[in-house]
Amino acid sequence: MGEQNLTIVEEFVIQGFYDLPNLQDLLFGIFTVVYMSILMGNGLIITIIKTDPALHTPMYFFLGNFSFLEICYTSVILPRMLMNFWTQNRNISLIACAVQLCFLLILGATECFLLAVMAYDRYVAICKPLYYPVIMNQKVCIQVVVGSWICGIPVQIGQTCQIFSLPFCGSNKLNNIFCDVLPLLKLACGDTSVNELFVYAGALLFVTVPFVLIIWSYVNIIATILNLPVGMGRTKAFSTCSSHLIVVALFFGSAIITYLRPKSMHSPGIDKVLSLFYTIVTPMFNPLIYGLRNKDVIAALKKILSKLI
């Protein structure tokens, strides 16, 4: 066999929005505002839940954890993206890329399971209201939240190690807005079919299984609500579920399309847009969805503002 001259990749260049050179300053401003709104909005939700005793219930305990998760999730991506816009230096070392990918995978798995836990909480509250205080007691709530945070850690660390054990040679241009699994596999040398199989298996485990549990919960919830007499708590039951359903649709919709659609249907432009949805758009709209549509949160916010004034 003849020798081949291959350049071993020591760092990646995150392409991001390089194809829009005239909009770099505008994009920096937009994403700065987006990041600040995510921090302030989700931080406000956490503060309201912590300070108002009326919100010390399982539903708002899960919401507070979810808001904290959203802050962590976007903080893995947006600060580096903003730095890239500011310095015009899009280079990232292999180690930094691996760390970013690992945290994204772990936090993404946590978000999937936490959304499933929140759906189950609504299922118990609506379908088994008499047993709700027993089933969703404080100990159980803490256990399921801790489980949501840690259950994906060993698998996702293994997934990251497996991807970065591949040789990267040739092009180092990562055509995405952050280090993600599928764009990295495109840059790997040799056969990556086994790695792609593990990616799909991971997506089935951490995306599809929680999504199926959410669907099961809401099928039972809707059936229970429709069996209620007209006007007897139907509106309140639907309102407590609608906010969660919107977040589920935004996050799972974009994640499922990204990771589970056929390889032939992938394109860099669409992948970037979908990545924005499940990493940035959902965390940005989370405070608006849960805050403006929730009377309890609005009432608690008014109490805080009245005390400050």
Side-chain angles (χ1 to χ4, degrees):
M1 294 178 65
E3 293 184 1
Q4 292 181 336
N5 292 324
L6 295 176
T7 303
I8 302 302
V9 173
E10 297 181 354
E11 63 180 11
F12 296 113
V13 179
I14 298 177
Q15 298 293 83
F17 299 99
Y18 79 100
D19 52 342
L20 303 171
N22 298 326
L23 299 178
Q24 297 299 298
D25 292 338
L26 176 62
L27 290 172
F28 175 78
I30 291 172
F31 283 112
T32 299
V33 172
V34 167
Y35 186 46
M36 295 305 297
S37 67
I38 289 171
L39 295 179
M40 291 188 293
N42 287 284
L44 182 61
I45 292 289
I46 295 170
T47 303
I48 291 171
I49 292 171
K50 284 285 186 182
T51 55
D52 194 331
L55 300 182
H56 292 175
T57 63
M59 174 182 170
Y60 293 106
F61 173 70
F62 296 137
L63 177 57
N65 275 274
F66 186 71
S67 295
F68 176 69
L69 173 63
E70 297 290 55
I71 291 173
C72 296
Y73 200 42
T74 52
S75 295
V76 177
I77 300 169
L78 279 173
R80 174 167 281 277
M81 187 188 298
L82 293 174
M83 184 182 70
N84 292 347
F85 280 125
W86 183 259
T87 63
Q88 293 298 302
N89 180 9
R90 301 190 301 273
N91 293 3
I92 183 171
S93 67
L94 264 68
I95 294 176
C97 188
V99 170
Q100 185 183 61
L101 176 65
C102 187
F103 275 104
L104 280 174
L105 292 176
I106 291 171
L107 294 173
T110 302
E111 184 152 353
C112 291
F113 284 116
L114 198 53
L115 285 169
V117 167
M118 294 168 76
Y120 179 73
D121 172 69
R122 292 299 83 208
Y123 159 74
V124 177
I126 293 171
C127 300
K128 300 181 178 181
L130 297 178
Y131 297 99
Y132 184 72
V134 178
I135 297 174
M136 302 304 294
N137 59 65
Q138 186 179 18
K139 182 180 178 181
V140 170
C141 291
I142 293 173
Q143 286 175 341
V144 294
V145 166
V146 172
S148 298
W149 278 91
I150 67 173
C151 65
I153 292 177
V155 176
Q156 302 298 17
I157 289 177
Q159 181 94 281
T160 304
C161 291
Q162 185 189 48
I163 290 170
F164 279 87
S165 65
L166 293 168
F168 294 97
C169 51
S171 175
N172 67 339
K173 294 180 180 179
L174 191 68
N175 202 355
N176 204 352
I177 58 176
F178 55 85
C179 292
D180 203 359
V181 175
L182 299 179
L184 282 168
L185 289 178
K186 289 180 181 179
L187 299 182
C189 302
D191 183 19
T192 60
S193 57
V194 175
N195 302 86
E196 290 172 9
L197 182 63
F198 277 107
V199 169
Y200 286 116
L204 286 171
L205 176 62
F206 293 109
V207 178
T208 308
V209 171
F211 186 66
V212 170
L213 291 174
I214 291 170
I215 296 297
W216 174 83
S217 297
Y218 277 107
V219 167
N220 286 279
I221 288 170
I222 292 170
T224 301
I225 292 174
L226 293 178
N227 287 330
L228 292 174
V230 177
M232 188 177 175
R234 276 191 178 187
T235 304
K236 185 177 180 180
F238 273 120
S239 65
T240 58
C241 297
S242 59
S243 299
H244 182 254
L245 277 172
I246 294 171
V247 174
V248 167
L250 284 172
F251 180 78
F252 277 98
S254 54
I256 288 173
I257 294 172
T258 299
Y259 289 101
L260 295 180
R261 75 185 192 275
K263 187 177 179 180
S264 59
M265 296 178 64
H266 283 270
S267 69
I270 295 174
D271 288 346
K272 288 179 186 179
V273 173
L274 291 171
S275 298
L276 286 175
F277 263 92
Y278 67 82
T279 58
I280 296 173
V281 174
T282 302
M284 181 177 66
F285 283 109
N286 175 54
L288 297 175
I289 293 169
Y290 279 106
L292 296 179
R293 296 173 58 86
N294 192 302
K295 294 180 180 178
D296 294 334
V297 173
I298 293 173
L301 179 59
K302 288 180 179 178
K303 287 180 185 177
I304 294 174
L305 292 175
S306 63
K307 289 179 181 179
L308 293 174
I309 294 172

